[in-house]
């Protein structure tokens, strides 16, 4: 089972916890984190350049944890040469 999770600056330090939950409680074998590049709610902080090192540090810890549990963690990354829509379709009120 593959599960995608949207990661915001507010929860980027909880990536290990998220991986653990998704694997143990939902049986995820493939997990993909999708950083939220643009947030619509004014209360939330968008990713800024200084967040990159923090995000990467916690992502690598989470990937190591995922590997130790027998699952795979990846993330979408930035593909500036490709045109694509939002990953979680938040504007369409759907759940993936």
């Amino acid at each position: 089972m593959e599960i995608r999770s949207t990661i915001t600056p507010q929860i980027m330090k909880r990536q290990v916890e998220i991986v653990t939950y998704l694997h143990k409680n939902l049986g995820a074998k493939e997990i993909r984190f999708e950083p939220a590049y643009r947030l619509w709610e004014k209360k939330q902080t968008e990713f800024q350049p200084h967040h990159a090192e923090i995000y990467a540090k916690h992502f690598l810890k989470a990937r190591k944890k995922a590997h130790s549990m027998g699952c795979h963690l990846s993330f979408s990354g930035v593909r500036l040469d490709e045109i694509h829509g939002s990953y979680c379709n938040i504007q369409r009120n759907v759940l993936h």
Side-chain angles (χ1 to χ4, degrees):
M1 170 192 301
E2 178 181 309
I3 297 178
R4 293 181 183 186
S5 179
T6 301
I7 305 297
T8 64
Q10 290 73 22
I11 63 168
M12 69 180 163
K13 293 180 180 179
R14 298 179 69 187
Q15 293 179 71
V16 169
E17 180 184 343
I18 294 166
V19 163
T20 303
Y21 177 86
L22 294 175
H23 177 70
K24 288 186 176 181
N25 294 297
L26 302 177
K29 294 290 184 191
E30 293 283 332
I31 301 169
R32 184 160 45 189
F33 285 169
E34 309 289 357
Y37 297 109
R38 181 184 226 181
L39 300 175
W40 301 104
E41 231 181 273
K42 293 179 182 176
K43 296 178 204 167
Q44 295 185 331
T45 303
E46 293 184 345
F47 276 106
Q48 302 295 319
H50 69 275
H51 290 131
E53 188 174 341
I54 300 165
Y55 179 90
K57 174 184 167 185
H58 290 278
F59 176 82
L60 292 173
K61 286 181 183 179
R63 191 163 80 172
K64 186 175 182 178
K65 178 66 175 179
H67 180 73
S68 76
M69 296 186 300
C71 62
H72 180 257
L73 173 64
S74 62
F75 81 104
S76 62
V78 178
R79 299 178 309 248
L80 298 176
D81 59 335
E82 295 179 23
I83 298 174
H84 51 81
S86 60
Y87 293 104
C88 58
N89 288 310
I90 195 163
Q91 297 95 346
R92 291 183 36 214
N93 204 18
V94 297
L95 175 65
H96 285 220

XYZ file of all heavy atoms in Angstrom:
802
model
N 0.843 -1.177 0.000
C 0.000 0.000 0.000
C 0.886 1.236 0.000
O 1.847 1.323 0.749
C -0.903 0.012 1.234
C -1.635 1.330 1.405
S -2.448 1.585 3.000
C -3.563 0.233 3.050
N 0.546 2.205 -0.841
C 1.265 3.477 -0.883
C 0.411 4.564 -0.254
O -0.792 4.652 -0.517
C 1.592 3.896 -2.310
C 2.294 5.238 -2.366
C 2.613 5.689 -3.782
O 3.193 4.898 -4.531
O 2.271 6.837 -4.122
N 1.038 5.361 0.579
C 0.346 6.483 1.208
C 1.164 7.744 0.981
O 2.384 7.742 1.155
C 0.151 6.254 2.720
C -0.743 5.033 2.952
C -0.426 7.501 3.386
C -0.953 4.704 4.407
N 0.483 8.801 0.597
C 1.118 10.106 0.456
C 0.707 10.972 1.632
O -0.435 10.931 2.074
C 0.675 10.791 -0.832
C 1.149 10.098 -2.063
C 0.700 10.856 -3.279
N 1.097 10.150 -4.480
C 0.933 10.637 -5.692
N 0.376 11.826 -5.866
N 1.314 9.950 -6.733
N 1.641 11.761 2.103
C 1.362 12.654 3.217
C 1.890 14.044 2.875
O 3.035 14.189 2.448
C 2.055 12.137 4.480
O 1.817 12.995 5.568
N 1.059 15.037 3.051
C 1.470 16.412 2.811
C 2.228 16.915 4.034
O 1.745 16.808 5.154
C 0.246 17.307 2.530
O -0.440 16.782 1.395
C 0.664 18.741 2.269
N 3.408 17.461 3.798
C 4.256 17.963 4.879
C 4.304 19.485 4.800
O 4.591 20.055 3.757
C 5.682 17.394 4.778
C 5.677 15.866 4.738
C 6.556 17.919 5.918
C 5.132 15.200 5.978
N 4.005 20.131 5.912
C 4.064 21.590 6.010
C 5.220 21.961 6.947
O 5.722 21.111 7.687
C 2.755 22.168 6.581
O 2.603 21.701 7.925
C 1.551 21.776 5.730
N 5.630 23.206 6.951
C 6.690 23.612 7.890
C 6.329 23.324 9.351
O 7.202 23.030 10.149
C 6.832 25.118 7.647
C 6.417 25.300 6.232
C 5.289 24.317 6.043
N 5.046 23.369 9.674
C 4.619 23.150 11.055
C 4.864 21.709 11.515
O 5.003 21.472 12.708
C 3.138 23.501 11.226
C 2.838 24.975 11.120
C 2.916 25.529 9.700
O 2.802 24.822 8.707
N 3.144 26.824 9.606
N 4.898 20.761 10.596
C 5.073 19.358 10.995
C 6.344 18.723 10.428
O 6.552 17.524 10.601
C 3.846 18.505 10.614
C 3.649 18.468 9.110
C 2.601 18.991 11.340
C 2.647 17.415 8.641
N 7.203 19.490 9.789
C 8.372 18.891 9.143
C 9.320 18.210 10.132
O 10.045 17.302 9.756
C 9.115 19.906 8.288
C 9.818 20.993 9.016
S 10.624 22.078 7.825
C 10.926 23.482 8.859
N 9.293 18.587 11.389
C 10.145 17.946 12.391
C 9.520 16.663 12.928
O 10.143 15.968 13.735
C 10.435 18.911 13.543
C 11.292 20.088 13.125
C 11.560 21.016 14.285
C 12.414 22.197 13.841
N 12.668 23.130 14.948
N 8.318 16.315 12.469
C 7.611 15.118 12.944
C 7.591 14.002 11.890
O 6.779 13.086 11.973
C 6.185 15.507 13.340
C 6.165 16.524 14.480
C 4.780 16.935 14.859
N 4.105 15.797 15.495
C 2.816 15.803 15.822
N 2.078 16.850 15.581
N 2.272 14.756 16.384
N 8.493 14.067 10.934
C 8.478 13.102 9.838
C 8.694 11.660 10.303
O 8.054 10.740 9.789
C 9.493 13.493 8.765
C 9.104 14.785 8.054
C 10.105 15.187 7.012
O 10.221 14.556 5.979
N 10.846 16.250 7.290
N 9.566 11.434 11.273
C 9.771 10.078 11.802
C 8.477 9.568 12.424
O 8.071 8.423 12.198
C 10.934 10.045 12.829
C 10.971 8.713 13.558
C 12.259 10.327 12.154
N 7.830 10.410 13.186
C 6.560 10.044 13.829
C 5.497 9.707 12.788
O 4.736 8.748 12.947
C 6.110 11.221 14.698
C 4.824 11.020 15.428
C 4.400 12.272 16.194
O 5.220 13.181 16.426
O 3.210 12.328 16.557
N 5.447 10.461 11.708
C 4.456 10.231 10.660
C 4.708 8.899 9.965
O 3.780 8.107 9.751
C 4.452 11.403 9.650
C 3.968 12.687 10.342
C 3.585 11.077 8.436
C 4.230 13.958 9.548
N 5.968 8.635 9.623
C 6.318 7.356 8.982
C 5.934 6.187 9.880
O 5.343 5.198 9.429
C 7.828 7.309 8.645
C 8.304 5.900 8.377
C 8.138 8.189 7.461
N 6.276 6.290 11.146
C 5.965 5.224 12.101
C 4.463 4.982 12.173
O 4.006 3.834 12.119
C 6.525 5.573 13.495
O 7.935 5.783 13.379
C 6.250 4.474 14.494
N 3.688 6.037 12.262
C 2.229 5.902 12.334
C 1.666 5.257 11.061
O 0.857 4.335 11.132
C 1.585 7.271 12.548
C 0.076 7.178 12.561
C -0.607 6.873 13.729
C -0.668 7.361 11.395
C -1.989 6.752 13.740
C -2.045 7.241 11.401
C -2.697 6.936 12.571
O -4.056 6.803 12.575
N 2.093 5.767 9.906
C 1.551 5.258 8.643
C 1.877 3.787 8.440
O 1.052 3.022 7.930
C 2.076 6.085 7.466
C 1.616 7.536 7.415
C 2.294 8.276 6.265
C 0.101 7.634 7.296
N 3.050 3.375 8.853
C 3.423 1.966 8.702
C 2.711 1.085 9.730
O 2.096 0.088 9.373
C 4.935 1.794 8.809
C 5.359 0.370 8.737
N 5.281 -0.355 7.570
C 5.833 -0.473 9.679
C 5.701 -1.588 7.794
N 6.043 -1.682 9.072
N 2.793 1.460 10.996
C 2.242 0.606 12.063
C 0.720 0.563 12.079
O 0.125 -0.472 12.337
C 2.762 1.060 13.423
C 4.221 0.721 13.641
C 4.657 1.054 15.049
C 6.098 0.615 15.261
N 6.556 0.909 16.625
N 0.072 1.689 11.826
C -1.389 1.742 11.945
C -2.128 1.524 10.635
O -3.275 1.086 10.653
C -1.819 3.076 12.558
C -1.332 3.199 13.989
O -1.723 2.435 14.855
N -0.450 4.139 14.226
N -1.495 1.837 9.512
C -2.184 1.705 8.228
C -1.527 0.692 7.294
O -2.027 0.454 6.199
C -2.276 3.077 7.542
C -2.995 4.161 8.350
C -2.957 5.494 7.616
C -4.425 3.752 8.656
N -0.404 0.127 7.697
C 0.256 -0.897 6.905
C 0.962 -0.402 5.659
O 1.168 -1.161 4.715
N 1.365 0.850 5.635
C 2.022 1.413 4.459
C 3.361 0.734 4.201
O 4.148 0.533 5.118
C 2.237 2.909 4.642
N 3.606 0.382 2.946
C 4.896 -0.159 2.518
C 5.659 0.859 1.675
O 6.867 0.828 1.593
C 4.697 -1.439 1.702
C 4.122 -2.579 2.497
C 5.130 -3.084 3.493
C 4.577 -4.300 4.234
N 5.380 -4.665 5.362
N 4.925 1.739 1.023
C 5.486 2.830 0.221
C 4.892 4.126 0.758
O 3.674 4.281 0.794
C 5.109 2.692 -1.256
C 5.720 1.500 -1.950
C 7.180 1.717 -2.295
O 7.586 2.878 -2.501
O 7.912 0.723 -2.350
N 5.736 5.040 1.162
C 5.275 6.323 1.698
C 5.943 7.428 0.892
O 7.135 7.365 0.615
C 5.627 6.473 3.193
C 4.990 5.340 4.002
C 5.175 7.835 3.715
C 5.490 5.252 5.439
N 5.145 8.403 0.515
C 5.717 9.542 -0.205
C 5.284 10.819 0.493
O 4.102 11.049 0.703
C 5.283 9.559 -1.660
C 5.988 10.694 -2.394
C 6.046 10.562 -3.858
N 4.783 10.164 -4.439
C 4.648 9.820 -5.702
N 5.682 9.826 -6.496
N 3.484 9.479 -6.173
N 6.255 11.633 0.833
C 5.979 12.930 1.425
C 5.914 13.972 0.321
O 6.766 14.014 -0.557
C 7.056 13.316 2.437
C 6.971 12.577 3.743
C 7.997 12.650 4.660
C 5.867 11.812 4.072
C 7.932 11.985 5.871
C 5.783 11.142 5.280
C 6.825 11.227 6.180
N 4.908 14.801 0.386
C 4.684 15.871 -0.585
C 4.747 17.197 0.159
O 3.816 17.558 0.868
C 3.309 15.724 -1.253
C 3.024 14.348 -1.833
C 3.829 14.038 -3.079
O 4.578 14.918 -3.552
O 3.714 12.919 -3.579
N 5.848 17.919 0.054
C 5.931 19.221 0.715
C 4.868 20.176 0.169
O 4.640 20.225 -1.041
C 7.334 19.721 0.365
C 8.093 18.492 -0.011
C 7.089 17.570 -0.636
N 4.207 20.884 1.051
C 3.188 21.860 0.649
C 3.901 23.152 0.284
O 4.358 23.881 1.153
C 2.193 22.097 1.782
N 4.013 23.409 -1.003
C 4.752 24.588 -1.451
C 3.951 25.876 -1.289
O 4.504 26.936 -1.159
C 5.176 24.430 -2.908
C 6.122 23.287 -3.083
C 5.724 22.130 -3.724
C 7.408 23.353 -2.570
C 6.608 21.070 -3.870
C 8.291 22.299 -2.707
C 7.874 21.162 -3.363
O 8.729 20.115 -3.499
N 2.659 25.770 -1.319
C 1.821 26.967 -1.194
C 0.672 26.648 -0.241
O -0.034 25.678 -0.418
C 1.263 27.324 -2.563
C 0.406 28.546 -2.549
C -0.163 28.753 -3.930
N -0.008 30.134 -4.287
C -0.411 30.638 -5.417
N -0.944 29.860 -6.324
N -0.283 31.912 -5.664
N 0.518 27.450 0.759
C -0.547 27.238 1.739
C -1.598 28.319 1.596
O -1.277 29.489 1.433
C 0.033 27.241 3.156
C 1.084 26.165 3.413
C 1.675 26.343 4.799
C 0.497 24.782 3.271
N -2.837 27.905 1.656
C -3.940 28.848 1.453
C -4.385 29.504 2.747
O -4.928 30.592 2.740
C -5.126 28.139 0.795
C -4.729 27.557 -0.515
C -4.482 26.236 -0.785
C -4.472 28.253 -1.739
N -4.096 26.080 -2.095
C -4.089 27.303 -2.702
C -4.523 29.585 -2.109
C -3.767 27.642 -4.003
C -4.207 29.915 -3.407
C -3.836 28.959 -4.336
N -4.171 28.836 3.868
C -4.583 29.396 5.140
C -3.546 30.405 5.632
O -2.363 30.111 5.698
C -4.727 28.273 6.181
C -6.055 28.328 6.875
C -6.164 27.229 7.902
O -6.568 26.129 7.517
O -5.848 27.508 9.063
N -3.971 31.578 5.989
C -3.041 32.642 6.368
C -2.339 32.374 7.697
O -1.299 32.947 7.971
C -3.772 33.979 6.407
C -4.225 34.412 5.037
C -4.958 35.713 5.071
C -5.417 36.034 3.659
N -6.214 37.201 3.567
N -2.884 31.493 8.522
C -2.281 31.204 9.816
C -1.006 30.363 9.681
O -0.204 30.334 10.582
C -3.259 30.423 10.693
C -4.509 31.173 11.056
C -5.394 30.261 11.877
C -6.833 30.702 11.773
N -7.749 29.709 12.289
N -0.868 29.662 8.574
C 0.266 28.766 8.397
C 1.413 29.443 7.656
O 1.208 30.286 6.806
C -0.170 27.518 7.648
C -1.166 26.688 8.429
C -1.492 25.396 7.721
O -1.442 25.316 6.507
N -1.825 24.393 8.494
N 2.621 29.014 7.990
C 3.816 29.537 7.350
C 4.164 28.669 6.148
O 4.179 27.451 6.245
C 4.996 29.497 8.340
O 4.627 30.234 9.504
C 6.237 30.095 7.737
N 4.458 29.292 5.022
C 4.888 28.543 3.844
C 6.355 28.173 3.986
O 7.090 28.793 4.747
C 4.695 29.387 2.580
C 3.240 29.640 2.257
C 3.059 30.404 0.955
O 4.039 30.984 0.438
O 1.935 30.418 0.457
N 6.791 27.165 3.213
C 8.211 26.823 3.205
C 9.026 28.010 2.708
O 8.648 28.683 1.759
C 8.474 25.612 2.303
C 8.237 24.308 2.997
C 7.126 23.545 2.704
C 9.135 23.837 3.941
C 6.906 22.334 3.331
C 8.926 22.629 4.587
C 7.814 21.875 4.282
N 10.124 28.237 3.368
C 11.072 29.290 3.019
C 12.426 28.625 2.763
O 12.662 27.501 3.212
C 11.184 30.301 4.166
C 9.881 30.963 4.551
C 9.315 31.835 3.449
O 10.054 32.550 2.781
N 8.019 31.770 3.247
N 13.340 29.297 2.071
C 14.652 28.691 1.800
C 15.371 28.167 3.046
O 16.017 27.124 2.992
C 15.427 29.827 1.133
C 14.367 30.636 0.456
C 13.181 30.596 1.403
N 15.230 28.859 4.161
C 15.932 28.408 5.372
C 15.346 27.124 5.959
O 15.953 26.501 6.825
C 15.954 29.519 6.434
C 14.628 29.826 7.040
N 13.731 30.703 6.451
C 14.042 29.373 8.167
C 12.648 30.778 7.206
N 12.812 29.982 8.247
N 14.191 26.696 5.487
C 13.594 25.441 5.942
C 14.233 24.215 5.292
O 14.071 23.096 5.783
C 12.091 25.404 5.635
C 11.283 26.331 6.463
N 10.357 27.191 5.919
C 11.252 26.543 7.800
C 9.784 27.891 6.885
N 10.313 27.516 8.038
N 14.931 24.393 4.175
C 15.444 23.258 3.390
C 16.324 22.328 4.222
O 16.145 21.103 4.189
C 16.198 23.765 2.170
N 17.240 22.881 4.956
C 18.156 22.043 5.747
C 17.408 21.285 6.843
O 17.668 20.100 7.092
C 19.263 22.901 6.353
C 20.342 22.084 7.020
C 21.523 22.930 7.503
O 21.694 24.064 7.025
O 22.265 22.426 8.358
N 16.455 21.947 7.478
C 15.664 21.307 8.541
C 14.825 20.190 7.951
O 14.777 19.075 8.485
C 14.766 22.344 9.254
C 15.607 23.439 9.891
C 13.874 21.671 10.300
C 14.814 24.669 10.295
N 14.143 20.477 6.832
C 13.311 19.461 6.177
C 14.162 18.250 5.801
O 13.791 17.111 6.091
C 12.640 20.036 4.923
C 11.800 19.008 4.206
C 10.468 18.842 4.524
C 12.359 18.177 3.237
C 9.698 17.886 3.889
C 11.603 17.210 2.609
C 10.278 17.076 2.931
O 9.521 16.101 2.319
N 15.317 18.494 5.160
C 16.176 17.401 4.702
C 16.681 16.557 5.873
O 16.687 15.321 5.803
C 17.344 17.954 3.898
N 17.080 17.205 6.945
C 17.582 16.490 8.126
C 16.525 15.530 8.660
O 16.804 14.354 8.925
C 17.971 17.506 9.204
C 18.363 16.916 10.527
C 18.633 18.030 11.529
C 18.718 17.492 12.947
N 18.863 18.575 13.922
N 15.300 16.003 8.801
C 14.231 15.165 9.347
C 13.733 14.144 8.327
O 13.324 13.043 8.707
C 13.099 16.042 9.890
C 13.510 16.765 11.130
N 13.490 16.183 12.370
C 14.010 18.013 11.312
C 13.939 17.034 13.265
N 14.269 18.154 12.646
N 13.792 14.470 7.056
C 13.419 13.505 6.023
C 14.389 12.323 6.040
O 13.975 11.164 5.972
C 13.400 14.150 4.633
C 13.123 13.155 3.556
C 11.813 12.767 3.286
C 14.148 12.579 2.830
C 11.548 11.812 2.305
C 13.892 11.634 1.852
C 12.586 11.248 1.591
N 15.685 12.593 6.131
C 16.679 11.515 6.141
C 16.518 10.620 7.368
O 16.659 9.395 7.275
C 18.095 12.081 6.054
C 18.422 12.739 4.708
C 19.777 13.432 4.773
C 18.373 11.727 3.573
N 16.196 11.205 8.505
C 15.920 10.402 9.707
C 14.689 9.529 9.479
O 14.663 8.356 9.860
C 15.692 11.308 10.917
C 16.932 11.942 11.471
C 16.583 12.802 12.683
C 17.789 13.526 13.237
N 17.435 14.365 14.398
N 13.655 10.107 8.875
C 12.420 9.364 8.621
C 12.656 8.249 7.606
O 12.098 7.150 7.734
C 11.320 10.312 8.135
N 13.486 8.509 6.603
C 13.776 7.472 5.604
C 14.534 6.306 6.233
O 14.270 5.142 5.936
C 14.556 8.063 4.440
C 14.635 7.084 3.270
C 15.018 7.765 2.024
N 16.464 7.975 2.024
C 17.133 8.414 0.989
N 16.506 8.734 -0.126
N 18.424 8.562 1.054
N 15.449 6.626 7.132
C 16.180 5.570 7.850
C 15.214 4.730 8.698
O 15.306 3.504 8.733
C 17.267 6.202 8.724
C 18.166 5.218 9.398
C 19.284 5.933 10.144
C 20.216 4.919 10.785
N 21.330 5.584 11.485
N 14.284 5.400 9.374
C 13.281 4.704 10.190
C 12.403 3.826 9.309
O 12.125 2.666 9.646
C 12.433 5.718 10.962
C 11.333 5.125 11.789
C 11.879 4.295 12.926
C 10.764 3.796 13.833
N 11.265 2.978 14.922
N 11.969 4.354 8.169
C 11.135 3.582 7.242
C 11.875 2.325 6.802
O 11.308 1.224 6.806
C 10.753 4.435 6.040
N 13.129 2.484 6.435
C 13.934 1.344 5.989
C 14.023 0.282 7.087
O 13.912 -0.914 6.813
C 15.325 1.817 5.570
C 16.203 0.715 5.093
N 16.011 0.097 3.871
C 17.266 0.100 5.664
C 16.916 -0.849 3.723
N 17.695 -0.858 4.795
N 14.201 0.717 8.328
C 14.314 -0.233 9.449
C 13.017 -1.007 9.677
O 13.040 -2.096 10.242
C 14.732 0.492 10.732
O 13.658 1.206 11.304
N 11.884 -0.448 9.220
C 10.583 -1.118 9.364
C 10.196 -1.891 8.106
O 9.129 -2.468 8.045
C 9.491 -0.094 9.696
C 9.679 0.588 11.026
S 8.303 1.676 11.484
C 8.312 2.860 10.149
N 11.061 -1.853 7.087
C 10.771 -2.597 5.863
C 9.899 -1.868 4.866
O 9.233 -2.497 4.049
N 9.872 -0.556 4.927
C 9.113 0.201 3.926
C 10.003 1.265 3.291
O 11.129 1.486 3.716
C 7.822 0.780 4.501
S 8.000 1.943 5.839
N 9.485 1.905 2.269
C 10.265 2.861 1.484
C 9.644 4.242 1.591
O 8.433 4.399 1.440
C 10.294 2.412 0.018
C 11.077 3.333 -0.857
N 10.463 4.224 -1.694
C 12.413 3.502 -1.007
C 11.400 4.915 -2.342
N 12.588 4.488 -1.941
N 10.469 5.240 1.839
C 10.015 6.629 1.914
C 10.682 7.437 0.817
O 11.898 7.374 0.638
C 10.356 7.237 3.279
C 10.094 8.732 3.442
C 8.602 9.045 3.317
C 10.644 9.232 4.761
N 9.884 8.193 0.077
C 10.414 9.090 -0.950
C 9.663 10.416 -0.852
O 8.733 10.564 -0.070
C 10.242 8.483 -2.344
O 8.873 8.302 -2.638
N 10.086 11.386 -1.655
C 9.345 12.636 -1.729
C 9.388 13.145 -3.154
O 10.230 12.754 -3.953
C 9.865 13.679 -0.728
C 11.080 14.441 -1.160
C 10.967 15.751 -1.594
C 12.334 13.862 -1.125
C 12.086 16.465 -1.985
C 13.453 14.559 -1.500
C 13.332 15.866 -1.943
N 8.454 14.010 -3.476
C 8.272 14.448 -4.857
C 9.428 15.290 -5.358
O 9.758 15.243 -6.538
C 6.970 15.231 -4.982
O 7.032 16.387 -4.173
N 10.043 16.051 -4.489
C 11.113 16.938 -4.922
C 10.573 18.064 -5.783
O 9.373 18.200 -6.004
N 11.453 18.861 -6.275
C 11.061 19.976 -7.137
C 11.486 19.640 -8.557
O 12.645 19.357 -8.811
C 11.719 21.286 -6.666
C 11.357 22.429 -7.595
C 11.298 21.615 -5.250
N 10.528 19.665 -9.466
C 10.808 19.392 -10.871
C 10.424 20.632 -11.658
O 9.332 20.732 -12.199
C 10.025 18.162 -11.316
C 10.417 16.923 -10.523
C 9.613 15.726 -10.938
N 8.184 15.981 -10.938
C 7.315 15.418 -10.082
N 7.739 14.594 -9.178
N 6.042 15.686 -10.156
N 11.315 21.579 -11.709
C 11.020 22.872 -12.316
C 10.758 22.784 -13.812
O 10.096 23.647 -14.379
C 12.159 23.852 -12.046
C 12.406 24.178 -10.570
C 13.614 25.082 -10.421
C 11.185 24.819 -9.949
N 11.275 21.741 -14.466
C 11.090 21.617 -15.912
C 9.792 20.900 -16.287
O 9.498 20.711 -17.455
C 12.283 20.903 -16.540
C 12.493 19.514 -15.967
O 12.078 19.258 -14.819
O 13.091 18.682 -16.679
N 8.984 20.497 -15.289
C 7.724 19.809 -15.556
C 6.544 20.658 -15.088
O 6.627 21.335 -14.075
C 7.672 18.475 -14.808
C 8.688 17.472 -15.269
C 8.596 16.190 -14.465
O 7.536 15.904 -13.887
O 9.615 15.472 -14.410
N 5.459 20.573 -15.824
C 4.228 21.236 -15.405
C 3.348 20.173 -14.754
O 3.095 19.126 -15.336
C 3.500 21.861 -16.610
C 4.397 22.928 -17.242
C 2.148 22.424 -16.197
C 3.851 23.507 -18.534
N 2.913 20.431 -13.543
C 2.038 19.481 -12.852
C 1.152 20.226 -11.881
O 1.445 21.339 -11.476
C 2.850 18.398 -12.134
C 3.945 18.939 -11.263
N 3.736 19.417 -10.007
C 5.274 19.078 -11.507
C 4.873 19.827 -9.497
N 5.828 19.633 -10.386
N 0.057 19.570 -11.522
C -0.896 20.162 -10.598
C -0.524 19.870 -9.151
O 0.520 19.299 -8.855
N -1.411 20.236 -8.271
C -1.169 19.977 -6.851
C -1.253 18.475 -6.589
O -2.027 17.761 -7.223
C -2.189 20.727 -6.007
O -3.484 20.301 -6.342
N -0.451 17.999 -5.651
C -0.390 16.568 -5.388
C -1.607 16.043 -4.643
O -2.080 14.965 -4.917
C 0.882 16.233 -4.601
C 2.110 16.466 -5.408
C 2.898 17.578 -5.181
C 2.468 15.596 -6.414
C 4.033 17.807 -5.936
C 3.594 15.814 -7.185
C 4.371 16.919 -6.936
O 5.481 17.136 -7.682
N -2.090 16.779 -3.715
C -3.185 16.255 -2.902
C -4.545 16.791 -3.347
O -5.546 16.484 -2.731
C -2.940 16.562 -1.427
S -2.754 18.306 -1.075
N -4.586 17.558 -4.399
C -5.839 18.089 -4.933
C -6.670 18.801 -3.882
O -7.886 18.690 -3.851
C -6.665 16.978 -5.581
C -6.044 16.529 -6.878
O -5.717 17.333 -7.721
N -5.864 15.215 -7.022
N -6.011 19.534 -3.019
C -6.709 20.186 -1.918
C -7.811 21.138 -2.400
O -8.826 21.294 -1.745
C -5.707 20.890 -0.981
C -6.389 21.250 0.330
C -5.090 22.109 -1.631
C -5.435 21.567 1.447
N -7.602 21.727 -3.580
C -8.605 22.658 -4.076
C -9.885 21.932 -4.551
O -10.924 22.545 -4.738
C -8.066 23.479 -5.258
C -6.889 24.352 -4.905
C -5.558 23.679 -5.206
O -5.479 22.486 -5.444
N -4.510 24.460 -5.175
N -9.789 20.612 -4.764
C -10.936 19.856 -5.281
C -11.711 19.141 -4.195
O -12.649 18.414 -4.479
C -10.439 18.854 -6.321
C -9.948 19.576 -7.561
C -9.498 18.655 -8.662
N -10.275 17.450 -8.763
C -9.768 16.277 -9.121
N -8.483 16.161 -9.371
N -10.539 15.219 -9.218
N -11.310 19.265 -2.950
C -12.021 18.654 -1.831
C -12.112 17.144 -1.970
O -13.169 16.539 -1.814
C -13.420 19.279 -1.687
C -13.952 19.140 -0.279
O -13.196 18.886 0.641
N -15.241 19.301 -0.108
N -10.969 16.501 -2.293
C -10.917 15.052 -2.441
C -9.894 14.467 -1.493
O -9.030 15.162 -0.967
C -10.542 14.634 -3.895
C -11.592 15.101 -4.864
C -9.188 15.164 -4.289
N -9.977 13.163 -1.268
C -9.031 12.461 -0.415
C -8.386 11.359 -1.239
O -9.074 10.568 -1.864
C -9.746 11.867 0.788
C -8.898 10.994 1.720
C -7.818 11.839 2.381
C -9.784 10.341 2.759
N -7.061 11.321 -1.250
C -6.331 10.241 -1.937
C -5.790 9.308 -0.905
O -5.281 9.693 0.092
C -5.162 10.810 -2.745
C -5.605 11.488 -3.979
N -4.941 11.386 -5.157
C -6.646 12.296 -4.254
C -5.524 12.090 -6.096
N -6.560 12.662 -5.562
